[in-house]
Amino acid sequence: MTAAAQSPAGTAAGQSDAILEVSNLTRVFGGVRAVDDCSFRVRRGTITGLIGPNGAGKTTAFNLISGFLKPTSGTIVFDGERIDGLPPHVIARKGLVRTFQIPKPLGSMTVLENLVLVPMGQEGERVWNAWFRPGLVGQREREIIDRALAVLEYVDLIRLRDEYAANLSGGQKKLLELARTLMAEPKMILLDEPGAGVNRTLMRRLVGYIEELCYERGITMFIIEHDMDLVARLCNPVIVMSEGTHLCEGTPEEVRNNPQVLEAYLGGQYR
């Protein structure tokens, strides 16, 4: 493994193109240090994987980065701005959004309505606009609906636009989650186990969307995933966490052959 891969700090060039910088991040629950002095960087324009054994602290790290938990200590810098401790909606407004391992659509609303709700600061949210500027409100609503329809077309859910989200299959809910993140016009998306519960056909489609969104639209992807074949195909670099901290980093092949990684998965805390 290269020196840059071994160190979360990387090189000076690596620092300059980092869109996300996590430094000495710690989260304590009672006496348990779920994330323990963890540091890493995610480079802009990459599909970066985050792997580790169950209980390694991956999802807790995502929750801290996206604002669903507050750190006990440490800093998180996104796109040059410190975000640790900010609420999720403020972080999302800055261009950092996430999906969940178990999709959480608004089940009693239609697929289209789930998307239309996403853009923040809509003119219709202000009562005085509805009274005194109805033309502006209507124009903005039409623009949002048109964008939502385009996103649904992109993820191949357009035929389900009027279906209640609760009635979608598990795979369709994954696509809806991805569509909702796109409505936020993100700079970076945190994907929590996109392959979980998804059949192979749909997974190939998801992989295609992820690659296109990153390499053609410039959206950085940071992915938690347990399917190592998927990680090897999709992610470079790969960051490994174990027992709440950064263990190592490198290409999928470097990580796969790293003795520390083998110990974390097969020995150590599991002996």
Side-chain angles (χ1 to χ4, degrees):
M1 191 173 297
T2 65
Q6 290 174 341
S7 168
T11 64
Q15 293 178 32
S16 65
D17 68 357
I19 190 171
L20 179 70
E21 301 178 72
V22 173
S23 302
N24 307 112
L25 190 64
T26 298
R27 172 67 192 204
V28 178
F29 296 99
V32 177
R33 300 174 75 87
V35 174
D36 187 8
D37 197 32
C38 186
S39 299
F40 56 79
R41 291 183 172 91
V42 175
R43 296 196 313 275
R44 193 181 306 272
T46 62
I47 302 174
T48 298
L50 181 61
I51 68 170
N54 290 330
K58 305 181 297 298
T59 296
T60 302
F62 262 31
N63 287 337
L64 292 167
I65 293 167
S66 56
F68 287 85
L69 289 173
K70 292 186 177 181
T72 303
S73 60
T75 62
I76 304 168
V77 175
F78 173 68
D79 202 24
E81 184 177 355
R82 191 166 166 178
I83 61 169
D84 46 277
L86 295 179
H89 70 278
V90 174
I91 293 174
R93 191 175 294 138
K94 296 178 184 298
L96 176 58
V97 298
R98 69 166 297 178
T99 67
F100 293 87
Q101 180 182 353
I102 300 174
K104 300 181 178 181
L106 300 170
S108 61
M109 303 186 76
T110 69
V111 167
L112 179 60
E113 288 168 342
N114 266 263
L115 267 61
V116 168
L117 281 177
V118 172
M120 299 182 185
Q122 297 186 38
E123 283 74 5
E125 295 173 359
R126 300 175 179 86
V127 174
W128 53 87
N129 278 339
W131 288 344
F132 301 113
R133 307 172 75 186
L136 176 64
V137 172
Q139 177 185 345
R140 180 60 175 152
E141 286 181 350
R142 287 190 295 272
E143 290 172 355
I144 291 173
I145 290 172
D146 287 345
R147 182 149 62 90
L149 292 172
V151 170
L152 290 177
E153 187 77 50
Y154 176 70
V155 300
D156 198 26
L157 288 179
I158 190 67
R159 69 191 187 282
L160 298 172
R161 53 175 285 180
D162 297 320
E163 183 63 73
Y164 288 114
N167 297 334
L168 300 184
S169 69
Q172 290 167 342
K173 288 177 181 177
K174 292 268 187 179
L175 290 174
L176 178 57
E177 280 243 311
L178 180 61
R180 286 167 61 182
T181 67
L182 296 180
M183 287 297 294
E185 300 184 272
K187 300 174 185 175
M188 181 175 183
I189 301 176
L190 310 181
L191 294 165
D192 193 349
E193 295 200 44
V198 174
N199 64 53
R200 289 292 175 182
T201 300
L202 182 53
M203 192 64 248
R204 284 194 293 271
R205 287 171 54 197
L206 278 171
V207 166
Y209 292 139
I210 292 167
E211 290 177 331
E212 181 179 329
L213 291 170
C214 180
Y215 301 132
E216 297 185 20
R217 302 196 184 188
I219 301 174
T220 303
M221 299 287 182
F222 193 24
I223 302 175
I224 292 175
E225 185 54 65
H226 286 288
D227 184 334
M228 292 306 297
D229 290 335
L230 178 59
V231 170
R233 173 182 174 184
L234 193 57
C235 302
N236 189 15
V238 178
I239 297 168
V240 186
M241 287 185 67
S242 180
E243 298 182 314
T245 195
H246 177 284
L247 182 64
C248 68
E249 180 177 338
T251 67
E253 187 64 22
E254 288 172 331
V255 165
R256 189 190 298 270
N257 295 318
N258 188 305
Q260 292 178 294
V261 176
L262 297 175
E263 173 71 7
Y265 273 96
L266 302 177
Q269 61 186 309
Y270 294 98
R271 271 205 299 254

